[in-house]
Amino acid sequence: MKESKMPSPFLWIGNHWVVDFVNTRIIASGSRVELIPAFGDVLRWLGESGRSSLIQPAVAQLPAGREEELYAEVLELRTRLEDGFEQLLRGGSWPPEDMRSLWNEALQRHPGCLQVRTEGGAFRTERVYALEHLPGLFWEEAALFLQSLEPGKLKRCENPACILYFYDNSRNQSRRWCSMAGCGNRIKVGLHYKRKKNTASEGNGTALE
């Protein structure tokens, strides 16, 4: 009997790889939930995001504790990006000068190298990273995102109970929710119930007069 494949816990609603990376933490039942609780989950997320080909397998097993160090650095960057997103949404500027220095130091510490790839006869180059320099990929992608960022397109879901972000590429930038099937639908149902309840209350009040 063929085993059923476990559904992916990851969300792909951000319209950008970096935004989806920040969205690897969610609110569920009122509590913050970590979607990448271990190093292996980071690798799984990379695979589902289509970037696993940019990480070269380790030539030998990573030294003891190295996975934990790499994992901690990836999550630290995510925290910094989340804080930066909030600064930008409040109309501020980000990153500050000290953060830029930290960025440069991280990119020097986790170097990648260009590799030639050919697909369907097309010639292209990609920067790849050794597994022991995994954070370099995240630092580079985040830097490229900020380089092209249009602040007005970066948004947080308007559901107060949601912490997800998205990059609004719609024609008139009118997107309000992380997804219509999720928060958008819940808010609409809540508003419909509230209107229905208010209508019923007004009707009862009229009948009593």
Side-chain angles (χ1 to χ4, degrees), residues 25-71:
R25 76 292 170 273
I26 62 173
I27 295 295
S29 301
S31 299
R32 191 179 177 102
V33 175
E34 178 60 72
L35 299 183
I36 48 173
F39 183 74
D41 299 298
V42 175
L43 298 181
R44 180 185 175 188
W45 182 86
L46 273 176
E48 292 192 23
S49 74
R51 295 293 205 282
S52 59
S53 64
L54 303 183
I55 299 298
Q56 297 175 324
V59 176
Q61 187 176 4
L62 292 175
R66 185 57 176 158
E67 285 189 2
E68 288 77 9
E69 292 175 358
L70 297 175
Y71 174 71

